[in-house]
Amino acid sequence: MPHRKLVTILMADDDIDDREFARTAMQESRLMNELRFVEDGEELLDYLYRRGAYSDPKNAPRPGLILLDLNMPRKDGREALREIKSDPTLRQIPVVVLTTSKAEEDILRSYDLGANCFISKPVTFDGLVEVVKVLDKHWFQIVELPRPAGPHET
């Protein structure tokens, strides 16, 4: 079996049930990566830029993967994705859009903004467990991820 990369996964999703389902699906899939959560795009950027509650690097390790919902309050996933991918210190972090949308417009726009992957949230818990297993295999066993670089690394 390929070597697993243990990186921090940062999930930006305003739905508490979706966050808990993701945590449980990771446990069910035996994914050992640390999973951290933010509730909207504004908090996501605070985390990535280590502002406010995230100013201590121990509270905000640089993620190796971001799971991003599109529809969130304050700053939605599209706006956050645009900012992440336009910043030379952040754009190397893979962003997987994980959202309820299946709209062609959202898919195209996400890729245009720099998303590395677009996944529609499964409607069942078993479906989410399967998605987590595929994410694990793809991102943490097969793909070579860049090492953290720049002023935002841990």
Side-chain angles (χ1 to χ4, degrees):
M1 177 184 269
H3 176 68
R4 277 196 165 95
K5 295 163 195 79
L6 292 179
V7 299
T8 298
I9 300 170
L10 181 58
M11 183 175 190
D13 195 314
D14 63 315
D15 187 308
I16 190 165
D17 291 333
D18 286 351
R19 294 193 306 264
E20 280 310 305
F21 283 145
R23 181 187 311 281
T24 306
M26 283 184 62
Q27 292 167 345
E28 184 91 10
S29 302
R30 292 180 167 68
L31 191 60
M32 303 306 292
N33 297 62
E34 179 183 20
L35 180 61
R36 291 178 174 253
F37 298 100
V38 292
E39 295 183 18
D40 58 48
E42 210 45 65
E43 190 180 355
L44 171 61
L45 292 165
D46 285 348
Y47 180 105
L48 293 171
Y49 286 115
R50 294 199 175 128
R51 299 185 295 226
Y54 301 104
S55 58
D56 183 346
K58 290 185 204 98
N59 295 333
R62 183 178 170 97
L65 183 72
I66 297 171
L67 300 177
L68 181 65
D69 187 24
L70 291 181
N71 302 309
M72 298 182 290
R74 296 202 309 158
K75 182 179 295 235
D76 73 14
R78 295 161 198 84
E79 295 171 277
L81 180 59
R82 180 185 302 108
E83 286 189 47
I84 291 165
K85 293 302 182 177
S86 66
D87 185 319
T89 63
L90 299 176
R91 72 170 146 229
Q92 293 175 346
I93 301 170
V95 177
V96 173
V97 172
L98 183 62
T99 188
T100 54
S101 174
K102 292 183 181 185
E104 188 69 19
E105 177 185 335
D106 283 335
I107 295 168
L108 291 172
R109 185 151 180 235
S110 294
Y111 283 115
D112 282 346
L113 292 171
N116 298 88
C117 187
F118 188 102
I119 299 171
S120 293
K121 286 180 185 173
V123 293
T124 66
F125 178 73
D126 288 341
L128 184 58
V129 169
E130 193 57 38
V131 164
V132 169
K133 287 178 181 176
V134 170
L135 286 172
D136 173 38
K137 184 165 182 83
H138 179 81
W139 289 106
F140 307 125
Q141 296 180 47
I142 296 172
V143 170
E144 292 296 332
L145 295 171
R147 287 193 186 160
H152 305 294
E153 69 180 297
T154 51

